[in-house]
Amino acid sequence: MAQSYVTFTGNGTSTGPITLGFNYLLKAHVKVYESRDILANTGTLKTETTHYTFNTAGTQISMVTAPANGVVITVERQTPNDDQIVPYADGSNLIADSLNNSDKQTLFCTQELEDRQELSAAKADAAKTSADAASNAVATIESLSFPSDGSVTLTGNLTITGTVDGRDVAADGTKLDTIESGATGDQTN
């Protein structure tokens, strides 16, 4: 389950509300996108008041205009990870809120990283499943002709069912498999 984002699929009539399901330090850290790809860092960034509004508690947003049918809205927390939100200074008073916010910044950045890693792993699994399915695909050939000059070459393991030139290839293969290695023509069986 995602720890730093939620999605909402538009139906052309509903504007939400979309429950955030995650905490944040500042509203500025909450971003709303249309057609977001978190891994590729793409999507159309929406702006507060123009495209969406927060409820009073800051736990839900509503779109100003209902997203079209099938349009995915992503509400994502993006905690700054390149600078301290609460810098410490020698001789200053260290209060609980400052320590808590500093700790939350680390926690939120970690959760956001974990979400990206899970998305990346899911994307890799989907690609592998798709590649596996493609490599395991079997084609059925109803009719095939080869040029008489021998320019077509088949390689790899071939499985043939039915007959070739009236011969049952599977039955003949079974017969050939039972011939002993090094057998000579003077054997009776």
Side-chain angles (χ1 to χ4, degrees):
M1 183 176 110
Q3 303 173 82
S4 65
Y5 68 93
V6 295
T7 59
F8 173 81
T9 303
N11 62 10
T13 58
S14 177
T15 59
I18 304 168
T19 300
L20 299 186
F22 56 79
N23 295 320
Y24 55 90
L25 292 170
L26 301 170
K27 274 188 184 178
H29 300 165
V30 177
K31 309 293 183 187
V32 178
Y33 291 91
E34 182 178 307
S35 304
R36 176 75 164 148
D37 182 336
I38 293 173
L39 294 177
N41 198 24
T42 59
T44 304
L45 181 63
K46 301 298 182 179
T47 55
E48 187 179 1
T49 66
T50 303
H51 299 107
Y52 67 92
T53 57
F54 278 91
N55 68 348
T56 307
T59 58
Q60 295 179 327
I61 67 156
S62 292
M63 303 303 293
V64 172
T65 304
N69 191 33
V71 171
V72 177
I73 300 297
T74 302
V75 183
E76 177 183 357
R77 182 186 63 220
Q78 295 178 353
T79 308
N81 61 4
D82 57 350
D83 202 10
Q84 289 178 302
I85 292 175
V86 181
Y88 302 132
D90 285 340
S92 64
N93 289 333
L94 199 53
I95 59 174
D97 279 347
S98 294
L99 289 171
N100 289 336
N101 286 339
S102 181
D103 189 47
K104 285 179 184 176
Q105 181 182 16
T106 302
L107 173 65
F108 294 165
C109 287
T110 302
Q111 289 174 339
E112 291 159 20
L113 179 61
E114 287 173 353
D115 282 346
R116 285 186 194 87
Q117 289 173 331
E118 286 179 17
L119 287 170
S120 182
K123 188 174 184 178
D125 286 346
K128 182 180 181 330
T129 300
S130 178
D132 288 349
S135 68
N136 290 333
V138 177
T140 302
I141 301 172
E142 295 296 328
S143 165
L144 183 63
S145 61
F146 298 95
S148 60
D149 65 359
S151 62
V152 174
T153 304
L154 300 175
T155 59
N157 296 325
L158 303 176
T159 302
I160 301 173
T161 59
T163 61
V164 177
D165 286 335
R167 298 187 59 100
D168 185 340
V169 177
D172 288 351
T174 302
K175 289 178 186 174
L176 291 171
D177 289 342
T178 61
I179 298 175
E180 294 175 5
S181 177
T184 61
D186 63 349
Q187 297 193 1
T188 59
N189 55 353

